[in-house]
Amino acid sequence: MSSPLIDIKEIGRKYVIGAETIHALKSVTLQINKGEFVALMGPSGSGKSTLMNILGCLDTPTRGEYVLNGIKVSDMTDDELAEVRNKEIGFVFQTFNLLPRSTSLDNVALPLIYAGLSKTERIEKAQKALESVNLGNRVDHKPNELSGGQRQRVAIARALINDPSIILADEPTGNLDTKTSVEIMGLLEEIHSKGNTIVLVTHEEDIAQHAHRIVRMRDGLIEDDYPNPEIKNVSPRLAALKEKGSDFEGI
Ligand SMILES: Nc1ncnc2c1ncn2[C@@H]1O[C@H](COP(=O)(O)OP(=O)(O)OP(=O)(O)O)[C@@H](O)[C@H]1O
Ligand SMILES: [Mg+2]
């Protein structure tokens, strides 16, 4: 069998503030294979975002080992890390993190600048990415001219633009109403069905039910890790394909 996409062993992350030491992650061991859809749950302060930041190479553990795609992250140079962050990892945040003065198209095209594509190629690719999240008619809008769900779809298009190995979404529906959250989850289902790997942090059981595996954290440790017995699908496109009995490749 091929090695897992994400392989972390006894990862710890502590913060020292004055005389106090906070063990945000005590010892976390986790493997995630290519194509998995994982929901990471747990109470506030249990270490979910800390773990996501480490998985996304935005932060370094204070102990333990992280092997991403067969490469030990601690052995990477700063340049290699920057490249991994840009090309291998797509981030989606609760607060969207879009550039406020830039259009949807420019926001989505931004990671392609660092990837070294020409302007024409960038525009063409970003346009396609926006169409794939159903925003082909909002390319020239700025974030404040979009609804919350549309902003999050722009952020998802941006996360997908470099065809990353893994998509890390930290409470992507945290700022959205229920109906819009369901829409975004439908989109993530479609992205997953195309073979993408997704790790999603959420507080809501309803949202976690869309994932295929559930990992629960508490006090910097993994408390539970099991396949979701009742996977919920909401994407109408996937439902239609399932009905026809076709697989999801090439949607
Ligand atoms: N930069 C930091 N400096 C000091 N302590 C930190 C820092 N970041 C996080 N912590 C602490 O580490 C612990 C874990 O934080 P983390 O943000 O990972 O929790 P979380 O599970 O994402 O919570 P939430 O659900 O509220 O987002 C918390 O006790 C937090 O106060
Ligand atoms: Mg958090």
Side-chain angles (χ1 to χ4, degrees):
M1 221 185 96
S2 60
S3 59
L5 179 57
I6 282 174
D7 191 359
I8 60 173
K9 281 197 190 87
E10 293 171 17
I11 286 273
R13 175 69 166 101
K14 65 180 176 192
Y15 296 105
V16 181
I17 299 176
E20 200 191 356
T21 302
I22 299 164
H23 293 272
L25 296 177
K26 288 175 183 155
S27 178
V28 171
T29 297
L30 184 68
Q31 295 190 326
I32 297 175
N33 292 315
K34 191 180 173 321
E36 282 203 76
F37 187 174
V38 182
L40 188 58
M41 301 198 74
S44 181
S46 56
K48 304 180 298 294
S49 295
T50 305
L51 179 57
M52 290 290 265
N53 289 340
I54 290 174
L55 294 183
C57 304
L58 294 172
D59 189 18
T60 326
T62 38
R63 60 172 282 231
E65 191 181 271
Y66 178 15
V67 178
L68 172 63
N69 242 335
I71 302 166
K72 215 165 136 181
V73 173
S74 58
D75 287 346
M76 290 184 200
T77 63
D78 285 352
D79 283 354
E80 285 167 340
L81 270 177
E83 181 145 332
V84 163
R85 277 195 294 266
N86 190 43
K87 291 201 177 143
E88 301 289 335
I89 296 156
F91 288 100
V92 180
F93 301 94
Q94 179 173 3
T95 49
F96 320 129
N97 292 15
L98 298 171
L99 297 177
R101 288 176 212 283
S102 301
T103 62
S104 303
L105 193 74
D106 287 341
N107 265 290
V108 173
L110 188 68
L112 298 174
I113 295 180
Y114 309 114
L117 266 70
S118 74
K119 190 162 186 206
T120 325
E121 287 171 315
R122 295 200 299 264
I123 291 174
E124 203 172 295
K125 245 187 134 179
Q127 172 82 35
K128 278 203 184 122
L130 282 164
E131 282 164 13
S132 77
V133 298
N134 229 348
L135 281 181
N137 56 354
R138 291 289 186 276
V139 290
D140 292 326
H141 287 235
K142 297 195 175 127
N144 68 357
E145 297 160 349
L146 298 168
S147 72
Q150 290 171 337
R151 284 180 212 182
Q152 196 56 300
R153 281 190 273 152
V154 172
I156 290 173
R158 182 187 54 188
L160 287 169
I161 196 79
N162 274 326
D163 196 17
S165 308
I166 181 153
I167 294 165
L168 299 174
D170 197 345
E171 304 210 38
T173 62
N175 276 333
L176 304 175
D177 61 41
T178 308
K179 184 171 166 280
T180 315
S181 299
V182 169
E183 221 178 86
I184 292 297
M185 291 317 296
L187 180 59
L188 289 178
E189 283 171 13
E190 286 171 22
I191 290 166
H192 169 249
S193 72
K194 289 180 198 168
N196 284 296
T197 313
I198 303 178
V199 183
L200 158 90
V201 169
T202 181
H203 275 114
E204 292 167 75
E205 296 290 340
D206 259 19
I207 296 292
Q209 290 315 315
H210 296 264
H212 294 220
R213 173 178 169 194
I214 298 179
V215 174
R216 290 186 191 268
M217 295 187 68
R218 183 175 295 275
D219 295 335
L221 293 167
I222 290 182
E223 185 186 53
D224 216 346
D225 182 351
Y226 56 94
N228 182 4
E230 265 181 281
I231 300 163
K232 188 153 101 186
N233 280 132
V234 288
S235 157
R237 271 209 283 177
L238 288 192
L241 282 167
K242 245 186 198 167
E243 191 115 301
K244 277 202 287 179
S246 43
D247 63 18
F248 302 146
E249 291 298 318
I251 306 175

